[in-house]
Amino acid sequence: VSVVLALLVGVLAAAGTWLVLQHTLTRIVLGVALLANAANLLVLVAGGPPADAPIIGRDGPLGDPVPQALVLTSIVIGLAITTFLLAVSYRSWTINGNDQVEDDIEDRRIAAAERARRRREGR
Amino acid sequence: VGGLALLAGLVLLGQQSATTTISALVANPPGGTITTVALVLVLVGAFAKSAQFPFHFWLPGAMAAPTPVSAYLHSATMVKAGIVLVARLAPAFATVGPWRPLVVAVGGLSLLLGGWRALREHDAKLALAHGTVSQLGLLVILVGIGDAKLTFAGTAMILAHALCKAALFLVVGIVDHQTNTRDLRRLAGLGRLLPGLAAVTALAALSMAAVIPTFGFVAKEAGLQGLLDLRVGAVGAVALVAVALGSVLTVAYSVRLVDGLFVRGVPRPDDGAVRTVGAPIDPGRVHCPARGFVAPPALLALLSVVFGLAAARVGEVIAAVAASLDPASGTKHLVLWPGWGPALAISVGTWVVGAGVAEVIHRRAHGRDPRPVTATRVYASLYDGLLVGSRRVTAVVQSGSLPVYLGIILLTLLAGLAYSVWEGVPRPDAPFADSPLQVVLAVATGALALGVLRARRRFNGALLVGGSGYGLALVFLAHGAPDLAVTQFLVETLVIVMFLLVLQHLPDQFRPPPSWAPKALRIGLSVAVGVMVTVFALAVSSARDGRSTGRAYIERSLDEAGGKNVVNVTLVDFRGFDTLGEITVLAVAAIGVVNLVGVARREQRRKHLTDGTDRADPDGTRADDRAHRLGFRSIVLSTTARGLAPVLAVLAVFVAARGHNAPGGGFAGGLILSAALILGYLAEGRRAFDPRRVRPLVLVGVGLALAVAVAVTPLCFGDALLESAIVTLDLPLVGAVKLVSSSLFDVGVMILVAGVVLSALGAFVQADDRRPTVAAEEVDR
């Protein structure tokens, strides 16, 4: 893997991580897209240095088709995920009037109950 | 007594072999009755040094020393001297007469007796001392049998024991210092007061009890495996049983120690206890120990875990050390995960039974539970424990905040990456770049991605991500992956279109995000992920070992699947089952989108009806009108689009069909097909998506059904799933045409992808129509 591509993977992953850590759903969607791009590039470059497309009849050494097939699958799945998240943020907007990610109320409740129980037993 | 016996034994040995250097002795072992007597004497000396039965009593008795001294002498150095002597002589003399039976008997007795005493002790430090006797017994067995594997395991065990026992001695010292007592009966509930110390103790105790993933587990597994592989008859079997039983006791007193020191304590006798035992500690008078005070045991305990995770690396060092005891053990390895097998089963068994024993002893001492343990009650308590345990776990791991979850996921990712990078250090000779073009493309792609971080408007953010995606498509192309480039390009285009459709509804600017964590933390996490991923990317290339499935695919592609484009053949033939799964996911996502948006729309319509805003437009004709206006204003553009759409549709079919031999394929074709239909939408407005005319979800179903049919058909002819059938037709004019059944699979994929994209677009577009004011009016302006 060339240093440049490794760095590109890192930059995409870092930018994606930053966006995913936000509260705004749109930003999270964008972050997921960048993270997916980073992962796709990583898988591709892990397959070896640049080569000719793995099509029989091409001259030169052919690239490894397996990572390419994996990434192709991943790109399309990425499209589906982005679309789905967009639908979620649309829904969040029309129903709640914002696209902020809320805390999970049920989980909060369980955590709070457990804390209360601890306190009771502590006394 | 011990020293004297040792001296006598060594003198006799020296007499027999005319040398007193151990290496010469081991290289050329003498024989005869006098040697046997000498060896027994040496063993007696070694047992005394290492506090083995019946000389074990001095070790607990020596616990008067200050704790750090105990930690140093009794966990690591002094008591191991006898072990080393045994280990050094065992390879040469293990087969001599009484050596093995003696070693196993004394080691086993010490192991069990020490464990039992540790379990009954109320003074934490004495419990540890008896535990040390027990562990030393284990070591005597391991290194004394004289098997290379066991010597190696024993060496690892010495390190594991030194780490965890030193940590525990120090912890007990701290507890003693903070509370002025080491009596487990007075120390209940200390964990709430000193949670950090409790965690350190728990870690060290896990290693002592040999629970995965600590180093204690690694060493114990190696020992059990060695004992299982041993072929020395009954002695080996006795040793194995003794080690297993001893391990049960070890687990039990580990649990009891942590429980007694920090959680429930050890129950006190009911009456008059204050006089004999002393009052329970007063929580108000226990102060948190200074940080520097806790650091050494914390470091030791952490090392127990780190060494366990890095078992392979540590194993190399251990092997080097073990080789000096027995050259044959220099080639052994340590592993963290031993694989399913009898050794692991024994370990798991010791954990379960050990914890059970600890619980029973606790109940007994409590005196409130004299009823015998029956299967029913074990089941009931297991069940209750499961419920309580899962509630506690849920409360800890599911705090309810998404960013916290993400943080945990990312930290796990970081740990995983760090671990794998550590195992395969990056190749230093990675080239800076493969071509100048690559540098340009990479810089552009990265810059666009970073631009997203600064975007204040949603729209800009979406465009920048799209641009970055286009850049990535070019990177793919330069890397020799035209199929990926085409797909990436089409996907980015469609994503931008969908973003445009959805973002109309959302406010233009991002609101300043409420902070859930300090900005520095989020920046640190992001940068850490970026750096780790970069290093990982550099490291993976050195992990490839040259065996490539891809080569085999390239060789088989033309003969077996009748296609030249190996990527496409992989998707529709070699790995066609994966693709089938993938398109099913796509179908599910499409259904999800349609329903999510549908629910949102119904909700909104209900709101509007109650508001009265939509009353003027009951049948939606105006909405139709507005949607129409959403399309192209210009007649030229509209006409162009109308003309272009069929061309695109034909192109889509062409791309899908040629995909078997050239870049293209069902995914690309489907995406182009949906692009054609989008153009149709822009030209014709909403009518292109009139639910009465187009039912995109039907397309999804048809595509999926076709793909499944193609996949299953070979089964009817007794072939494997997705087996390709190749038919060559001689057509007039066209000539010989080779038809491959998997092309039909690709057609199914194409229809499905188009259906998925259209479902989503249709959902968003119709959502548009029901927005009575904002969207359409804004376009007008």
Side-chain angles (χ1 to χ4, degrees), chain B residues 115 119 135 205-206 208-211 220 244-258 346-358:
Chain B
L119 210 45
Q135 292 289 301
L206 278 182
M208 185 157 78
V211 175
K220 181 71 72 69
L245 287 179
S247 299
V248 167
L249 291 175
T250 310
V251 173
Y253 70 73
S254 301
V255 170
R256 180 171 175 270
L257 187 74
V258 176
I346 294 177
S347 275
V348 174
T350 58
W351 303 339
V352 174
V353 178
V357 168

PDB file of all heavy atoms in Angstrom, chain B residues 115 119 135 205-206 208-211 220 244-258 346-358:
ATOM      1  N   GLY B 115      -4.519 -24.596  48.726  1.00  0.00           N
ATOM      2  CA  GLY B 115      -5.768 -24.024  48.242  1.00  0.00           C
ATOM      3  C   GLY B 115      -6.849 -24.088  49.305  1.00  0.00           C
ATOM      4  O   GLY B 115      -7.589 -23.133  49.538  1.00  0.00           O
ATOM      5  N   LEU B 119      -8.702 -21.024  51.421  1.00  0.00           N
ATOM      6  CA  LEU B 119     -10.146 -20.867  51.383  1.00  0.00           C
ATOM      7  C   LEU B 119     -10.730 -20.673  52.785  1.00  0.00           C
ATOM      8  O   LEU B 119     -11.821 -20.137  52.947  1.00  0.00           O
ATOM      9  CB  LEU B 119     -10.740 -22.123  50.731  1.00  0.00           C
ATOM     10  CG  LEU B 119     -12.029 -22.011  49.952  1.00  0.00           C
ATOM     11  CD1 LEU B 119     -11.997 -20.807  49.034  1.00  0.00           C
ATOM     12  CD2 LEU B 119     -12.211 -23.280  49.129  1.00  0.00           C
ATOM     13  N   GLN B 135       0.037 -22.440  44.639  1.00  0.00           N
ATOM     14  CA  GLN B 135       0.557 -22.181  43.297  1.00  0.00           C
ATOM     15  C   GLN B 135       1.946 -22.791  43.114  1.00  0.00           C
ATOM     16  O   GLN B 135       2.292 -23.272  42.043  1.00  0.00           O
ATOM     17  CB  GLN B 135       0.617 -20.680  43.026  1.00  0.00           C
ATOM     18  CG  GLN B 135      -0.743 -20.035  42.912  1.00  0.00           C
ATOM     19  CD  GLN B 135      -1.439 -20.435  41.630  1.00  0.00           C
ATOM     20  OE1 GLN B 135      -0.949 -20.210  40.547  1.00  0.00           O
ATOM     21  NE2 GLN B 135      -2.585 -21.089  41.757  1.00  0.00           N
ATOM     22  N   ALA B 205      -7.024 -10.963  40.441  1.00  0.00           N
ATOM     23  CA  ALA B 205      -7.645 -12.217  40.852  1.00  0.00           C
ATOM     24  C   ALA B 205      -8.088 -13.027  39.642  1.00  0.00           C
ATOM     25  O   ALA B 205      -8.023 -14.251  39.649  1.00  0.00           O
ATOM     26  CB  ALA B 205      -8.834 -11.936  41.761  1.00  0.00           C
ATOM     27  N   LEU B 206      -8.521 -12.328  38.589  1.00  0.00           N
ATOM     28  CA  LEU B 206      -8.893 -13.039  37.361  1.00  0.00           C
ATOM     29  C   LEU B 206      -7.694 -13.800  36.822  1.00  0.00           C
ATOM     30  O   LEU B 206      -7.801 -14.947  36.389  1.00  0.00           O
ATOM     31  CB  LEU B 206      -9.371 -12.043  36.304  1.00  0.00           C
ATOM     32  CG  LEU B 206     -10.810 -11.580  36.394  1.00  0.00           C
ATOM     33  CD1 LEU B 206     -11.128 -10.632  35.255  1.00  0.00           C
ATOM     34  CD2 LEU B 206     -11.748 -12.766  36.350  1.00  0.00           C
ATOM     35  N   MET B 208      -5.148 -14.795  38.585  1.00  0.00           N
ATOM     36  CA  MET B 208      -4.837 -15.872  39.514  1.00  0.00           C
ATOM     37  C   MET B 208      -5.769 -17.059  39.271  1.00  0.00           C
ATOM     38  O   MET B 208      -5.356 -18.212  39.286  1.00  0.00           O
ATOM     39  CB  MET B 208      -4.976 -15.377  40.959  1.00  0.00           C
ATOM     40  CG  MET B 208      -4.556 -16.410  41.995  1.00  0.00           C
ATOM     41  SD  MET B 208      -4.087 -15.650  43.548  1.00  0.00           S
ATOM     42  CE  MET B 208      -5.689 -15.285  44.242  1.00  0.00           C
ATOM     43  N   ALA B 209      -7.055 -16.749  39.007  1.00  0.00           N
ATOM     44  CA  ALA B 209      -8.019 -17.816  38.779  1.00  0.00           C
ATOM     45  C   ALA B 209      -7.936 -18.344  37.354  1.00  0.00           C
ATOM     46  O   ALA B 209      -8.713 -19.214  36.972  1.00  0.00           O
ATOM     47  CB  ALA B 209      -9.434 -17.306  39.062  1.00  0.00           C
ATOM     48  N   ALA B 210      -7.014 -17.781  36.559  1.00  0.00           N
ATOM     49  CA  ALA B 210      -6.796 -18.239  35.190  1.00  0.00           C
ATOM     50  C   ALA B 210      -8.051 -18.124  34.347  1.00  0.00           C
ATOM     51  O   ALA B 210      -8.496 -19.073  33.710  1.00  0.00           O
ATOM     52  CB  ALA B 210      -6.269 -19.669  35.164  1.00  0.00           C
ATOM     53  N   VAL B 211      -8.644 -16.928  34.355  1.00  0.00           N
ATOM     54  CA  VAL B 211      -9.812 -16.682  33.537  1.00  0.00           C
ATOM     55  C   VAL B 211      -9.360 -15.931  32.287  1.00  0.00           C
ATOM     56  O   VAL B 211      -8.503 -15.057  32.362  1.00  0.00           O
ATOM     57  CB  VAL B 211     -10.850 -15.846  34.315  1.00  0.00           C
ATOM     58  CG1 VAL B 211     -12.021 -15.491  33.417  1.00  0.00           C
ATOM     59  CG2 VAL B 211     -11.334 -16.615  35.522  1.00  0.00           C
ATOM     60  N   LYS B 220      -2.013 -21.317  32.328  1.00  0.00           N
ATOM     61  CA  LYS B 220      -2.715 -22.502  32.827  1.00  0.00           C
ATOM     62  C   LYS B 220      -3.158 -23.396  31.681  1.00  0.00           C
ATOM     63  O   LYS B 220      -3.037 -24.623  31.756  1.00  0.00           O
ATOM     64  CB  LYS B 220      -3.926 -22.042  33.665  1.00  0.00           C
ATOM     65  CG  LYS B 220      -4.757 -23.142  34.281  1.00  0.00           C
ATOM     66  CD  LYS B 220      -4.073 -23.882  35.422  1.00  0.00           C
ATOM     67  CE  LYS B 220      -3.945 -23.099  36.712  1.00  0.00           C
ATOM     68  NZ  LYS B 220      -5.147 -22.822  37.434  1.00  0.00           N
ATOM     69  N   ALA B 244      -6.380 -30.004  38.138  1.00  0.00           N
ATOM     70  CA  ALA B 244      -7.757 -29.569  37.923  1.00  0.00           C
ATOM     71  C   ALA B 244      -8.429 -29.225  39.255  1.00  0.00           C
ATOM     72  O   ALA B 244      -9.034 -28.161  39.403  1.00  0.00           O
ATOM     73  CB  ALA B 244      -8.535 -30.665  37.187  1.00  0.00           C
ATOM     74  N   LEU B 245      -8.277 -30.125  40.237  1.00  0.00           N
ATOM     75  CA  LEU B 245      -8.893 -29.856  41.550  1.00  0.00           C
ATOM     76  C   LEU B 245      -8.275 -28.603  42.181  1.00  0.00           C
ATOM     77  O   LEU B 245      -8.983 -27.755  42.742  1.00  0.00           O
ATOM     78  CB  LEU B 245      -8.693 -31.058  42.474  1.00  0.00           C
ATOM     79  CG  LEU B 245      -9.561 -32.275  42.142  1.00  0.00           C
ATOM     80  CD1 LEU B 245      -9.258 -33.408  43.107  1.00  0.00           C
ATOM     81  CD2 LEU B 245     -11.035 -31.894  42.207  1.00  0.00           C
ATOM     82  N   GLY B 246      -6.940 -28.515  42.061  1.00  0.00           N
ATOM     83  CA  GLY B 246      -6.273 -27.345  42.615  1.00  0.00           C
ATOM     84  C   GLY B 246      -6.769 -26.065  41.966  1.00  0.00           C
ATOM     85  O   GLY B 246      -6.946 -25.043  42.637  1.00  0.00           O
ATOM     86  N   SER B 247      -7.028 -26.125  40.669  1.00  0.00           N
ATOM     87  CA  SER B 247      -7.505 -24.941  39.975  1.00  0.00           C
ATOM     88  C   SER B 247      -8.879 -24.528  40.480  1.00  0.00           C
ATOM     89  O   SER B 247      -9.186 -23.341  40.606  1.00  0.00           O
ATOM     90  CB  SER B 247      -7.557 -25.194  38.469  1.00  0.00           C
ATOM     91  OG  SER B 247      -6.268 -25.500  38.001  1.00  0.00           O
ATOM     92  N   VAL B 248      -9.707 -25.555  40.765  1.00  0.00           N
ATOM     93  CA  VAL B 248     -11.025 -25.249  41.329  1.00  0.00           C
ATOM     94  C   VAL B 248     -10.851 -24.460  42.633  1.00  0.00           C
ATOM     95  O   VAL B 248     -11.496 -23.430  42.857  1.00  0.00           O
ATOM     96  CB  VAL B 248     -11.814 -26.546  41.583  1.00  0.00           C
ATOM     97  CG1 VAL B 248     -13.018 -26.259  42.458  1.00  0.00           C
ATOM     98  CG2 VAL B 248     -12.246 -27.171  40.274  1.00  0.00           C
ATOM     99  N   LEU B 249      -9.943 -24.960  43.496  1.00  0.00           N
ATOM    100  CA  LEU B 249      -9.720 -24.261  44.762  1.00  0.00           C
ATOM    101  C   LEU B 249      -9.166 -22.861  44.515  1.00  0.00           C
ATOM    102  O   LEU B 249      -9.556 -21.897  45.184  1.00  0.00           O
ATOM    103  CB  LEU B 249      -8.744 -25.061  45.629  1.00  0.00           C
ATOM    104  CG  LEU B 249      -9.292 -26.377  46.172  1.00  0.00           C
ATOM    105  CD1 LEU B 249      -8.207 -27.140  46.917  1.00  0.00           C
ATOM    106  CD2 LEU B 249     -10.475 -26.107  47.095  1.00  0.00           C
ATOM    107  N   THR B 250      -8.263 -22.749  43.515  1.00  0.00           N
ATOM    108  CA  THR B 250      -7.696 -21.432  43.212  1.00  0.00           C
ATOM    109  C   THR B 250      -8.796 -20.452  42.826  1.00  0.00           C
ATOM    110  O   THR B 250      -8.843 -19.322  43.319  1.00  0.00           O
ATOM    111  CB  THR B 250      -6.679 -21.554  42.059  1.00  0.00           C
ATOM    112  OG1 THR B 250      -5.776 -22.605  42.360  1.00  0.00           O
ATOM    113  CG2 THR B 250      -5.921 -20.259  41.885  1.00  0.00           C
ATOM    114  N   VAL B 251      -9.676 -20.909  41.916  1.00  0.00           N
ATOM    115  CA  VAL B 251     -10.784 -20.038  41.520  1.00  0.00           C
ATOM    116  C   VAL B 251     -11.595 -19.668  42.749  1.00  0.00           C
ATOM    117  O   VAL B 251     -11.955 -18.499  42.959  1.00  0.00           O
ATOM    118  CB  VAL B 251     -11.670 -20.735  40.469  1.00  0.00           C
ATOM    119  CG1 VAL B 251     -12.906 -19.895  40.184  1.00  0.00           C
ATOM    120  CG2 VAL B 251     -10.890 -20.975  39.192  1.00  0.00           C
ATOM    121  N   ALA B 252     -11.870 -20.668  43.586  1.00  0.00           N
ATOM    122  CA  ALA B 252     -12.730 -20.417  44.747  1.00  0.00           C
ATOM    123  C   ALA B 252     -12.107 -19.388  45.678  1.00  0.00           C
ATOM    124  O   ALA B 252     -12.781 -18.436  46.094  1.00  0.00           O
ATOM    125  CB  ALA B 252     -12.977 -21.732  45.484  1.00  0.00           C
ATOM    126  N   TYR B 253     -10.805 -19.548  46.006  1.00  0.00           N
ATOM    127  CA  TYR B 253     -10.283 -18.562  46.950  1.00  0.00           C
ATOM    128  C   TYR B 253     -10.037 -17.222  46.296  1.00  0.00           C
ATOM    129  O   TYR B 253     -10.032 -16.195  46.971  1.00  0.00           O
ATOM    130  CB  TYR B 253      -9.063 -19.091  47.734  1.00  0.00           C
ATOM    131  CG  TYR B 253      -7.755 -19.304  47.000  1.00  0.00           C
ATOM    132  CD1 TYR B 253      -6.992 -18.210  46.597  1.00  0.00           C
ATOM    133  CD2 TYR B 253      -7.257 -20.582  46.787  1.00  0.00           C
ATOM    134  CE1 TYR B 253      -5.775 -18.433  45.952  1.00  0.00           C
ATOM    135  CE2 TYR B 253      -6.052 -20.797  46.152  1.00  0.00           C
ATOM    136  CZ  TYR B 253      -5.306 -19.708  45.724  1.00  0.00           C
ATOM    137  OH  TYR B 253      -4.118 -19.899  45.105  1.00  0.00           O
ATOM    138  N   SER B 254      -9.848 -17.185  44.957  1.00  0.00           N
ATOM    139  CA  SER B 254      -9.769 -15.893  44.269  1.00  0.00           C
ATOM    140  C   SER B 254     -11.086 -15.146  44.411  1.00  0.00           C
ATOM    141  O   SER B 254     -11.126 -13.960  44.758  1.00  0.00           O
ATOM    142  CB  SER B 254      -9.449 -16.101  42.785  1.00  0.00           C
ATOM    143  OG  SER B 254      -8.230 -16.789  42.637  1.00  0.00           O
ATOM    144  N   VAL B 255     -12.175 -15.880  44.127  1.00  0.00           N
ATOM    145  CA  VAL B 255     -13.496 -15.262  44.247  1.00  0.00           C
ATOM    146  C   VAL B 255     -13.726 -14.787  45.674  1.00  0.00           C
ATOM    147  O   VAL B 255     -14.163 -13.660  45.926  1.00  0.00           O
ATOM    148  CB  VAL B 255     -14.593 -16.274  43.835  1.00  0.00           C
ATOM    149  CG1 VAL B 255     -15.974 -15.729  44.187  1.00  0.00           C
ATOM    150  CG2 VAL B 255     -14.502 -16.583  42.354  1.00  0.00           C
ATOM    151  N   ARG B 256     -13.382 -15.668  46.628  1.00  0.00           N
ATOM    152  CA  ARG B 256     -13.654 -15.351  48.025  1.00  0.00           C
ATOM    153  C   ARG B 256     -12.846 -14.128  48.456  1.00  0.00           C
ATOM    154  O   ARG B 256     -13.327 -13.291  49.229  1.00  0.00           O
ATOM    155  CB  ARG B 256     -13.296 -16.554  48.896  1.00  0.00           C
ATOM    156  CG  ARG B 256     -13.537 -16.327  50.374  1.00  0.00           C
ATOM    157  CD  ARG B 256     -13.381 -17.624  51.130  1.00  0.00           C
ATOM    158  NE  ARG B 256     -13.481 -17.407  52.546  1.00  0.00           N
ATOM    159  CZ  ARG B 256     -12.427 -17.135  53.315  1.00  0.00           C
ATOM    160  NH1 ARG B 256     -11.244 -17.030  52.772  1.00  0.00           N
ATOM    161  NH2 ARG B 256     -12.592 -16.962  54.624  1.00  0.00           N
ATOM    162  N   LEU B 257     -11.616 -14.026  47.950  1.00  0.00           N
ATOM    163  CA  LEU B 257     -10.781 -12.894  48.336  1.00  0.00           C
ATOM    164  C   LEU B 257     -11.394 -11.577  47.871  1.00  0.00           C
ATOM    165  O   LEU B 257     -11.560 -10.633  48.656  1.00  0.00           O
ATOM    166  CB  LEU B 257      -9.381 -13.065  47.737  1.00  0.00           C
ATOM    167  CG  LEU B 257      -8.364 -12.039  48.205  1.00  0.00           C
ATOM    168  CD1 LEU B 257      -7.952 -12.324  49.630  1.00  0.00           C
ATOM    169  CD2 LEU B 257      -7.149 -12.028  47.290  1.00  0.00           C
ATOM    170  N   VAL B 258     -11.766 -11.532  46.590  1.00  0.00           N
ATOM    171  CA  VAL B 258     -12.343 -10.294  46.059  1.00  0.00           C
ATOM    172  C   VAL B 258     -13.667 -10.002  46.754  1.00  0.00           C
ATOM    173  O   VAL B 258     -13.944  -8.884  47.178  1.00  0.00           O
ATOM    174  CB  VAL B 258     -12.541 -10.409  44.530  1.00  0.00           C
ATOM    175  CG1 VAL B 258     -13.224  -9.166  44.005  1.00  0.00           C
ATOM    176  CG2 VAL B 258     -11.204 -10.622  43.846  1.00  0.00           C
ATOM    177  N   ILE B 346     -11.685 -28.082  30.675  1.00  0.00           N
ATOM    178  CA  ILE B 346     -11.275 -28.171  32.085  1.00  0.00           C
ATOM    179  C   ILE B 346     -11.234 -26.783  32.696  1.00  0.00           C
ATOM    180  O   ILE B 346     -11.729 -26.558  33.810  1.00  0.00           O
ATOM    181  CB  ILE B 346      -9.895 -28.854  32.185  1.00  0.00           C
ATOM    182  CG1 ILE B 346     -10.000 -30.313  31.742  1.00  0.00           C
ATOM    183  CG2 ILE B 346      -9.358 -28.766  33.610  1.00  0.00           C
ATOM    184  CD1 ILE B 346      -8.673 -31.039  31.729  1.00  0.00           C
ATOM    185  N   SER B 347     -10.671 -25.814  31.959  1.00  0.00           N
ATOM    186  CA  SER B 347     -10.599 -24.445  32.480  1.00  0.00           C
ATOM    187  C   SER B 347     -11.987 -23.922  32.818  1.00  0.00           C
ATOM    188  O   SER B 347     -12.226 -23.407  33.913  1.00  0.00           O
ATOM    189  CB  SER B 347      -9.943 -23.528  31.445  1.00  0.00           C
ATOM    190  OG  SER B 347      -8.546 -23.588  31.575  1.00  0.00           O
ATOM    191  N   VAL B 348     -12.899 -24.056  31.841  1.00  0.00           N
ATOM    192  CA  VAL B 348     -14.247 -23.539  32.068  1.00  0.00           C
ATOM    193  C   VAL B 348     -14.879 -24.242  33.259  1.00  0.00           C
ATOM    194  O   VAL B 348     -15.525 -23.621  34.109  1.00  0.00           O
ATOM    195  CB  VAL B 348     -15.103 -23.715  30.795  1.00  0.00           C
ATOM    196  CG1 VAL B 348     -16.546 -23.312  31.066  1.00  0.00           C
ATOM    197  CG2 VAL B 348     -14.537 -22.890  29.655  1.00  0.00           C
ATOM    198  N   GLY B 349     -14.642 -25.556  33.318  1.00  0.00           N
ATOM    199  CA  GLY B 349     -15.177 -26.317  34.440  1.00  0.00           C
ATOM    200  C   GLY B 349     -14.663 -25.788  35.771  1.00  0.00           C
ATOM    201  O   GLY B 349     -15.427 -25.630  36.723  1.00  0.00           O
ATOM    202  N   THR B 350     -13.349 -25.468  35.835  1.00  0.00           N
ATOM    203  CA  THR B 350     -12.805 -24.972  37.101  1.00  0.00           C
ATOM    204  C   THR B 350     -13.427 -23.629  37.472  1.00  0.00           C
ATOM    205  O   THR B 350     -13.680 -23.372  38.637  1.00  0.00           O
ATOM    206  CB  THR B 350     -11.277 -24.813  37.024  1.00  0.00           C
ATOM    207  OG1 THR B 350     -10.949 -23.920  35.978  1.00  0.00           O
ATOM    208  CG2 THR B 350     -10.589 -26.129  36.806  1.00  0.00           C
ATOM    209  N   TRP B 351     -13.678 -22.766  36.450  1.00  0.00           N
ATOM    210  CA  TRP B 351     -14.300 -21.479  36.771  1.00  0.00           C
ATOM    211  C   TRP B 351     -15.658 -21.688  37.425  1.00  0.00           C
ATOM    212  O   TRP B 351     -15.969 -21.124  38.468  1.00  0.00           O
ATOM    213  CB  TRP B 351     -14.498 -20.624  35.516  1.00  0.00           C
ATOM    214  CG  TRP B 351     -13.241 -20.358  34.760  1.00  0.00           C
ATOM    215  CD1 TRP B 351     -11.966 -20.426  35.254  1.00  0.00           C
ATOM    216  CD2 TRP B 351     -13.114 -20.014  33.377  1.00  0.00           C
ATOM    217  NE1 TRP B 351     -11.077 -20.135  34.266  1.00  0.00           N
ATOM    218  CE2 TRP B 351     -11.739 -19.876  33.103  1.00  0.00           C
ATOM    219  CE3 TRP B 351     -14.034 -19.795  32.339  1.00  0.00           C
ATOM    220  CZ2 TRP B 351     -11.251 -19.545  31.846  1.00  0.00           C
ATOM    221  CZ3 TRP B 351     -13.560 -19.458  31.095  1.00  0.00           C
ATOM    222  CH2 TRP B 351     -12.176 -19.341  30.843  1.00  0.00           C
ATOM    223  N   VAL B 352     -16.474 -22.544  36.765  1.00  0.00           N
ATOM    224  CA  VAL B 352     -17.850 -22.718  37.226  1.00  0.00           C
ATOM    225  C   VAL B 352     -17.864 -23.358  38.610  1.00  0.00           C
ATOM    226  O   VAL B 352     -18.464 -22.832  39.553  1.00  0.00           O
ATOM    227  CB  VAL B 352     -18.635 -23.576  36.212  1.00  0.00           C
ATOM    228  CG1 VAL B 352     -20.016 -23.873  36.755  1.00  0.00           C
ATOM    229  CG2 VAL B 352     -18.725 -22.862  34.870  1.00  0.00           C
ATOM    230  N   VAL B 353     -17.154 -24.500  38.715  1.00  0.00           N
ATOM    231  CA  VAL B 353     -17.178 -25.210  39.994  1.00  0.00           C
ATOM    232  C   VAL B 353     -16.532 -24.352  41.080  1.00  0.00           C
ATOM    233  O   VAL B 353     -17.040 -24.273  42.208  1.00  0.00           O
ATOM    234  CB  VAL B 353     -16.450 -26.567  39.864  1.00  0.00           C
ATOM    235  CG1 VAL B 353     -16.437 -27.288  41.197  1.00  0.00           C
ATOM    236  CG2 VAL B 353     -17.120 -27.415  38.792  1.00  0.00           C
ATOM    237  N   GLY B 354     -15.415 -23.675  40.734  1.00  0.00           N
ATOM    238  CA  GLY B 354     -14.737 -22.833  41.716  1.00  0.00           C
ATOM    239  C   GLY B 354     -15.644 -21.740  42.251  1.00  0.00           C
ATOM    240  O   GLY B 354     -15.729 -21.517  43.464  1.00  0.00           O
ATOM    241  N   ALA B 355     -16.346 -21.070  41.342  1.00  0.00           N
ATOM    242  CA  ALA B 355     -17.254 -20.011  41.783  1.00  0.00           C
ATOM    243  C   ALA B 355     -18.355 -20.603  42.649  1.00  0.00           C
ATOM    244  O   ALA B 355     -18.758 -20.018  43.660  1.00  0.00           O
ATOM    245  CB  ALA B 355     -17.840 -19.290  40.569  1.00  0.00           C
ATOM    246  N   GLY B 356     -18.821 -21.796  42.248  1.00  0.00           N
ATOM    247  CA  GLY B 356     -19.857 -22.454  43.030  1.00  0.00           C
ATOM    248  C   GLY B 356     -19.372 -22.774  44.441  1.00  0.00           C
ATOM    249  O   GLY B 356     -20.077 -22.525  45.429  1.00  0.00           O
ATOM    250  N   VAL B 357     -18.145 -23.310  44.531  1.00  0.00           N
ATOM    251  CA  VAL B 357     -17.587 -23.645  45.846  1.00  0.00           C
ATOM    252  C   VAL B 357     -17.507 -22.393  46.714  1.00  0.00           C
ATOM    253  O   VAL B 357     -17.889 -22.392  47.892  1.00  0.00           O
ATOM    254  CB  VAL B 357     -16.188 -24.287  45.672  1.00  0.00           C
ATOM    255  CG1 VAL B 357     -15.478 -24.361  47.020  1.00  0.00           C
ATOM    256  CG2 VAL B 357     -16.318 -25.670  45.067  1.00  0.00           C
ATOM    257  N   ALA B 358     -17.033 -21.296  46.116  1.00  0.00           N
ATOM    258  CA  ALA B 358     -16.923 -20.053  46.884  1.00  0.00           C
ATOM    259  C   ALA B 358     -18.278 -19.629  47.413  1.00  0.00           C
ATOM    260  O   ALA B 358     -18.425 -19.211  48.566  1.00  0.00           O
ATOM    261  CB  ALA B 358     -16.320 -18.956  45.997  1.00  0.00           C
TER     262      ALA B 358
END
